[in-house]
Amino acid sequence: MQTQLTELLNIKYPIIKAPMFLVSNVAMVTEAMKAGIAGCIPALNYRTLDELRAALKELKANKVEGGSFGFNLIVNKSNVKYKGQLEVICEEGCDFIITSLGSPEETIRQAHAVGIKVFCDVTDLRFAKKVEQLGADAAIAVNNEAGGHRGNLSPEQLTSLLHKELSIPVISAGGVGCKADIDRMLSYGAAGVSVGSPFIASVEAGVTDEYKQACVDYGAEDIIMTERISGTPCTVINTPYVQKIGTKSTWIENLLNKNRKLKKWVKMVRFSIGMKATENAAKKATYKTVWVAGPSIEHTKAILPVKEIIKGLTN
């Protein structure tokens, strides 16, 4: 399974264990590296820069031949920790950074200065062209089967389009739950895949057993879109609590979003409230379950170690 992605990151298989808010951790990425793939953690999973630095040091110590590790950065104004996180990552070093929700220009400049590759989340050709011009090492094509914040185009539409129009590698994100799905994405021109939701139900994942078991018990037909987490559409499991609170923004949020001066602040407040609700559901046994996941949990049949999940994706 040698591709441009395996060459870029010196990994055995063209797979990135996707960065997942509250789910991804050092243990998961360490096991991912041992199994020959890349692993990524959201920098926002660490409350302080000291905790982020400690995670970087531990992953560097755990690094093995054929594995790779990186961190995800939210690069827009909603992440007030962004500049400090970027500084720590560049000081300590890692193999790659994945940028989301904003311009990656500053990240690319600082990361490349210290030899870190930068992959950028994109959902359309226009933004993909922009990140290519800024010097991104690869584009992560977030399609309409991704978990969390997803794109509007199907895996085939988006991956094929970007593969045709870009000179940098395209990594398909969304809709991968088994080896046949990986083969399908590679046939569209992808240099590799980013896989998230199947790893929620891993032994090493840092979430409750209830969250993990939900990924086993529910399937693709149980995934719906909600605006109640961040103010923009996000995929979650359709639990009774999600049904109760609804999936649309409130009327007052819709009203305030029409005001150009207030819109940014409304988004930031909604993001903060939504992230707290997601954290409570992930870390505590609670009836208020807001569990983020994608339709690829259809293939999740048991809670397994990360290495076994990777085996299922590669054999």
Side-chain angles (χ1 to χ4, degrees):
M1 297 179 77
Q2 295 302 296
T3 71
Q4 286 176 290
L5 181 60
T6 60
E7 293 173 4
L8 266 176
L9 295 180
N10 190 29
I11 52 181
K12 185 176 181 182
Y13 302 105
I15 303 170
I16 296 174
K17 187 206 69 62
M20 292 178 285
F21 182 57
L22 302 172
V23 179
S24 302
N25 57 34
V26 168
M28 294 175 73
V29 173
T30 296
E31 290 303 309
M33 289 193 290
K34 289 179 180 177
I37 72 170
C40 190
I41 305 174
L44 279 175
N45 279 10
Y46 301 96
R47 293 183 179 275
T48 68
L49 295 181
D50 285 342
E51 290 174 344
L52 174 60
R53 191 182 298 277
L56 279 153
K57 289 181 181 295
E58 187 174 354
L59 285 167
K60 285 192 292 183
N62 294 347
K63 181 77 183 288
V64 296
E65 185 70 24
S68 180
F69 75 94
F71 282 81
N72 170 234
L73 283 176
I74 303 298
V75 295
N76 68 14
K77 293 179 180 178
S78 69
N79 179 16
V80 296
K81 299 179 180 179
Y82 158 61
K83 290 190 176 181
Q85 291 168 340
L86 177 59
E87 182 179 352
V88 168
I89 291 170
C90 289
E91 284 175 358
E92 293 296 335
C94 64
D95 297 302
F96 64 97
I97 292 172
I98 294 176
T99 66
S100 304
L101 303 176
S103 171
E105 184 172 7
E106 183 179 12
T107 301
I108 291 171
R109 179 174 55 80
Q110 292 194 35
H112 280 180
V114 292
I116 298 173
K117 296 178 176 63
V118 180
F119 305 155
C120 303
D121 282 351
V122 300
T123 57
D124 57 39
L125 179 60
R126 182 179 65 86
F127 194 61
K129 284 283 192 181
K130 283 186 177 181
V131 302
E132 180 181 45
Q133 291 168 1
L134 290 172
D137 296 286
I140 298 184
V142 184
N143 59 56
N144 65 1
E145 294 184 21
H149 295 99
R150 69 183 192 183
N152 296 317
L153 298 178
S154 71
E156 181 175 8
Q157 289 174 314
L158 185 59
T159 304
S160 300
L161 175 63
L162 298 190
H163 174 63
K164 177 183 176 183
E165 298 290 339
L166 301 181
S167 60
I168 58 176
V170 177
I171 302 163
S172 185
V176 173
C178 61
K179 186 178 184 300
D181 291 332
I182 296 177
D183 293 338
R184 181 163 53 94
M185 301 307 171
L186 296 181
S187 76
Y188 301 150
V193 295
S194 177
V195 184
S197 296
F199 288 102
I200 298 172
S202 66
V203 172
E204 295 86 354
V207 296
T208 63
D209 289 340
E210 288 84 359
Y211 189 176
K212 297 177 185 182
Q213 190 60 43
C215 292
V216 175
D217 295 339
Y218 290 89
E221 63 183 17
D222 301 303
I223 300 300
I224 61 169
M225 300 290 290
T226 180
E227 299 172 0
R228 297 300 297 273
I229 291 180
S230 62
T232 54
C234 178
T235 60
V236 297
I237 297 174
N238 191 20
T239 62
Y241 179 66
V242 168
Q243 295 169 22
K244 178 182 176 182
I245 65 174
T247 58
K248 300 296 183 182
S249 298
T250 65
W251 68 269
I252 194 167
E253 286 174 335
N254 289 331
L255 181 64
L256 293 173
N257 275 328
K258 293 178 182 178
N259 185 304
R260 292 181 62 185
K261 293 182 178 179
L262 295 175
K263 183 177 181 179
K264 180 181 74 172
W265 300 105
V266 173
K267 289 272 188 183
M268 289 179 69
V269 170
R270 166 48 62 194
F271 182 82
S272 177
I273 294 172
M275 289 302 100
K276 189 61 180 177
T278 306
E279 181 176 4
N280 286 339
K283 298 293 187 182
K284 302 175 184 177
T286 170
Y287 74 94
K288 293 185 176 180
T289 47
V290 185
W291 289 323
V292 177
S296 58
I297 61 170
E298 180 71 25
H299 300 277
T300 300
K301 305 303 180 185
I303 299 172
L304 298 170
V306 164
K307 65 180 180 181
E308 292 299 323
I309 296 172
I310 295 171
K311 189 180 295 184
L313 290 170
T314 55
N315 294 326

